[in-house]
Amino acid sequence: MSLSIDVTTNLETCYALRHEVFVGEQGVPVEEERDALDAVATHLLAVLDGVPVGTARIVWLDETAKIGRVCVLQSARGTGLGAKLIEACVAVAAAREGITRAKLGAQTHALGFYEKLGFEAFGPVYLDAGIEHQDMAKALR
């Protein structure tokens, strides 16, 4: 098994993965899945045995790296790939000068997953694209 997770400029592949998971599986309205932040974000792509299977993006806000649009294809879930994708995002964020924390909006069913990776929930539960989320953060320095 060969896995690579790297910063990418192959946005069409990232968008296709996100469309399959968010629009196809989770029913997120297609007009809400992409936004203006895609143009300024850093995108990561996970490739397993030559096949793209996951993606995430990082939006840079002052000292915060906001991780978002995290998805893994159903065929690759339960393999640890999601954790590796988040760890890769955290590593990219930690390597960037001036970035002191990583933040994300977690779907509430995934709070435990992110807690195991060192994130702590804060603030109220809110709806994003009709799905319950809660903000989480992790100090990087």
Side-chain angles (χ1 to χ4, degrees), residues 1-5 45-54 75-76 79 81:
M1 182 173 93
S2 168
L3 173 67
S4 66
I5 302 174
L45 182 63
V47 177
L48 182 62
D49 295 330
V51 179
V53 293
S75 61
T79 64
L81 188 141

Side-chain angles (χ1 to χ4, degrees), residues 2-8 43-48 53-56 80-89 92:
S2 168
L3 173 67
S4 66
I5 302 174
D6 298 297
V7 171
T8 185
H43 297 264
L44 282 80
L45 182 63
V47 177
L48 182 62
V53 293
T55 188
L81 188 141
K84 287 182 174 62
L85 184 56
I86 295 302
E87 289 166 351
C89 288
V92 168

Side-chain angles (χ1 to χ4, degrees), residues 14-26 30 33 71:
C14 295
Y15 295 154
L17 291 167
R18 286 167 33 183
H19 187 90
E20 182 173 337
V21 172
F22 297 128
V23 178
E25 287 180 33
Q26 297 182 350
V30 67
E33 200 290 305
C71 68

Side-chain angles (χ1 to χ4, degrees), residues 38-110:
D38 281 324
V40 297
T42 298
H43 297 264
L44 282 80
L45 182 63
V47 177
L48 182 62
D49 295 330
V51 179
V53 293
T55 188
R57 75 177 188 188
I58 304 169
V59 176
W60 309 100
L61 305 165
D62 299 318
E63 76 286 348
T64 300
K66 185 171 187 314
I67 300 168
R69 300 301 199 271
V70 178
C71 68
V72 174
L73 293 184
Q74 201 164 18
S75 61
R77 290 183 200 145
T79 64
L81 188 141
K84 287 182 174 62
L85 184 56
I86 295 302
E87 289 166 351
C89 288
V90 168
V92 168
R96 188 163 172 140
E97 189 172 332
I99 299 296
T100 60
R101 75 178 188 146
K103 178 184 170 191
L104 52 84
Q107 293 184 8
T108 53
H109 72 84

